[in-house]
Amino acid sequence: MIVDCGVYREGHRSEGSRDFSDALEQARSAGGFVWIGLHEPTAEEFDLVAREFGLHPLAVEDALKAHQRPKLEVYDDSVFVVLKPVVYEPDSDTVSSGEIMIFLGDSFAVSVRHGQGAPLEAVRERLEREPELQREGATAVLYAVADAVVDHYLEVATELQTDLEELETEVFTPDAGGSRHTASRIYGFKRQILEFRRATVPLTAPMARLAGTGAPAPRVPFVEEGAQPYFRDVHDHLTRVNESVEGLDRLVSDVLSAHLAQVGVQQNDDMRKISAWAAMAVVPTMIAGIYGMNFEHMPELHWTWSYPVVIALMAALEVVLFRTFKRRGWL
């Protein structure tokens, strides 16, 4: 549905006409821009916007179907940018992502949002509070949205760091690291990091191009050259996020390796204990088995003290074995 249509000019916002042609003409005549916001629009709703602003059919298809990776595409009459805002769910310790598509053209910006995360009300309020930002025209919308998305990445990275510290404590706490649920938690955490990486890493190249710091490439049309310092700031924050995510990924791999090593050590300890108790059980079993055979001529068979001597010998051997295994740490 169409969430908002605002005309920004001379540092002020006014409600735009539902006739988008009139709203665009109104913005251009005053040297401003119009920003239209949509949330999960239907094909019919978006068709009106696409026709009024001359949006490219391929970009329109991507905006309607969603499930795109972060990217920047340049068309004749507009620029198409895909961002993936990330939401952290503290109750389930999971990371989920939505999508924000932005069309940028001559004095207009069209945002299409999918998912419940990252509403853009705060971004609109920021544009109203910072009229100097509006001097960059419709580029200000792209910058403000990208800045809000990347800043939230930093918050999510902090939450994931906290979760990882708790996971490390669980793994390295005595009698807890071998829990059968620990490995599944580690793998689940690694999947959350992978979901996070899918949002942050592909965005690096588009932000570098918008900031003018990437590989030599033609300047992005419809993006004011004076806005490059703003995008450089976003790119710097994104670089910090990617470094943090990379560190988290390495640490969780190390935690998994440590957990598997602990499980292996625990299994070895268990096998040694089982072997020690088995060895202790073998000695009396062997002696009892020998004297349990029905042979007439056996040593000490008719001696009065043979039975208590054999029992005492078994007990003595058991004590010797127990002390030997205990000293070696097998029991």
Side-chain angles (χ1 to χ4, degrees), residues 8-11 31-34 104-109 126-127 130-144 210 219-231:
Y8 297 81
R9 51 186 176 181
E10 297 179 354
F33 63 92
V34 60
L104 203 65
D106 182 15
S107 301
F108 72 85
R126 179 184 179 183
L127 287 179
E130 302 179 16
E132 68 278 1
L133 190 59
Q134 297 182 28
R135 297 173 184 172
E136 304 301 334
T139 307
V141 175
L142 177 58
Y143 158 70
L210 289 169
R219 190 177 71 84
V220 180
F222 308 112
V223 174
E224 299 294 333
E225 189 171 355
Q228 287 186 347
Y230 294 100
F231 287 110

Side-chain angles (χ1 to χ4, degrees), residues 2-7 13-18 20 23 34-37:
I2 299 175
V3 177
D4 186 66
C5 177
V7 176
R13 179 190 186 278
S14 61
E15 291 296 325
S17 170
R18 287 296 176 174
F20 298 138
V34 60
W35 178 12
I36 298 173

Side-chain angles (χ1 to χ4, degrees), residues 45-330:
E45 289 174 333
F46 200 61
D47 181 64
L48 174 61
V49 178
R51 284 188 286 103
E52 291 291 348
F53 295 100
L55 306 181
H56 197 280
L58 292 177
V60 170
E61 181 181 359
D62 288 345
L64 288 173
K65 292 185 177 180
H67 303 295
Q68 304 295 314
R69 68 194 303 271
K71 61 181 179 179
L72 183 152
E73 295 181 349
V74 177
Y75 297 100
D76 292 337
D77 298 321
S78 62
V79 173
F80 180 58
V81 180
V82 178
L83 304 169
K84 292 184 76 70
V86 169
V87 177
Y88 176 81
E89 301 291 346
D91 295 335
S92 57
D93 293 337
T94 57
V95 172
S96 60
S97 61
E99 289 185 46
I100 297 178
M101 288 86 164
I102 298 178
F103 294 86
L104 203 65
D106 182 15
S107 301
F108 72 85
V110 177
S111 61
V112 183
R113 184 166 59 90
H114 291 267
Q116 298 302 317
L120 301 179
E121 287 86 351
V123 177
R124 295 188 184 93
E125 292 174 359
R126 179 184 179 183
L127 287 179
E128 296 174 20
R129 291 195 312 268
E130 302 179 16
E132 68 278 1
L133 190 59
Q134 297 182 28
R135 297 173 184 172
E136 304 301 334
T139 307
V141 175
L142 177 58
Y143 158 70
V145 174
D147 188 50
V149 169
V150 173
D151 282 350
H152 192 61
Y153 286 166
L154 292 169
E155 298 175 10
V156 173
T158 301
E159 295 287 350
L160 290 175
Q161 181 66 46
T162 302
D163 286 349
L164 181 57
E165 290 172 359
E166 295 175 356
L167 196 57
E168 285 179 315
T169 301
E170 177 181 335
V171 169
F172 293 106
T173 297
D175 303 326
S179 170
R180 68 179 63 184
H181 302 296
T182 302
S184 62
R185 281 198 61 195
I186 295 174
Y187 277 113
F189 188 82
K190 197 169 182 65
R191 288 189 64 85
Q192 305 311 314
I193 294 178
L194 177 61
E195 181 70 18
F196 198 16
R197 287 172 63 96
R198 287 173 179 167
T200 63
V201 174
L203 187 58
T204 303
M207 284 298 109
R209 186 176 177 187
L210 289 169
T213 59
R219 190 177 71 84
V220 180
F222 308 112
V223 174
E224 299 294 333
E225 189 171 355
Q228 287 186 347
Y230 294 100
F231 287 110
R232 280 199 291 271
D233 181 66
V234 176
H235 183 262
D236 289 342
H237 291 177
L238 183 61
T239 301
R240 286 174 50 197
V241 171
N242 285 328
E243 291 174 351
S244 177
V245 173
E246 191 68 29
L248 288 172
D249 193 40
R250 288 197 301 268
L251 282 174
V252 76
S253 297
D254 292 342
V255 169
L256 178 59
S257 299
H259 171 67
L260 295 178
Q262 282 186 325
V263 171
V265 170
Q266 183 64 44
Q267 289 176 339
N268 289 338
D269 288 341
D270 293 342
M271 288 303 298
R272 285 191 298 181
K273 291 178 180 180
I274 293 172
S275 300
W277 286 110
M280 292 172 62
V282 164
V283 172
T285 302
M286 179 185 67
I287 296 175
I290 292 173
Y291 278 88
M293 293 186 293
N294 296 321
F295 294 114
E296 183 177 355
H297 302 288
M298 293 184 69
E300 314 298 341
L301 188 62
H302 299 287
W303 183 38
T304 303
W305 296 98
S306 60
Y307 180 77
V309 167
V310 169
I311 295 299
L313 177 62
M314 290 181 183
L317 290 175
E318 290 296 293
V319 170
V320 171
L321 288 174
F322 180 82
R323 294 185 65 180
T324 301
F325 290 137
K326 191 71 173 178
R327 186 170 60 250
R328 294 185 177 182
W330 285 36

